[in-house]
Amino acid sequence: MRNADFHTLELKKCCENKLGIRFKKGGELNGWYKLKNRKVARITIPKGRKPIPSRTYKSMACQLKHTTDQFDGLVGCSLTGKEYEQIISDILDLPN
């Protein structure tokens, strides 16, 4: 788990750029990952530029239907948005 390597702002930018998630502002940043115009995963990211506690990091991975290792790959640039889409399609048994 690489939660100590990333800050909340980096996670927000990764989700916006790779997954196309739009965040709503409030006490926290909340956004939906949409696949074929269907909301399939919701993620909540704390505001600010602070380090992420390990339990929060694991929770964010679960919200995006990932293991922590897959989430590390997504944030650490080894997993692309298309690969994430394929993982979600496989989990939800959606046709390609």
Side-chain angles (χ1 to χ4, degrees):
M1 187 175 347
R2 296 177 49 199
N3 63 303
D5 297 344
F6 306 110
H7 294 282
T8 54
L9 183 63
E10 293 171 316
L11 283 177
K12 177 184 177 273
K13 287 182 180 181
C14 174
C15 289
E16 289 174 336
N17 296 334
K18 284 189 174 182
L19 306 178
I21 295 175
R22 302 273 182 221
F23 289 98
K24 294 192 177 188
K25 295 185 176 155
E28 301 163 326
L29 301 169
N30 295 300
W32 284 95
Y33 174 72
K34 294 181 181 179
L35 183 63
K36 299 179 183 175
N37 291 326
R38 182 176 159 197
K39 293 179 180 179
V40 294
R42 179 175 176 242
I43 185 168
T44 301
I45 299 176
K47 275 188 163 180
R49 295 180 186 194
K50 52 191 167 192
I52 302 164
S54 61
R55 290 183 71 197
T56 304
Y57 189 80
K58 185 175 181 180
S59 174
M60 287 188 282
C62 289
Q63 290 170 11
L64 288 178
K65 303 178 185 340
H66 268 336
T67 63
T68 53
D69 291 334
Q70 289 173 323
F71 194 56
D72 288 341
L74 179 69
V75 179
C77 294
S78 65
L79 184 68
T80 65
K82 286 288 184 191
E83 291 170 336
Y84 177 76
E85 183 178 313
Q86 184 61 44
I87 290 169
I88 295 299
S89 293
D90 292 343
I91 290 171
L92 299 176
D93 292 327
L94 296 174
N96 290 339

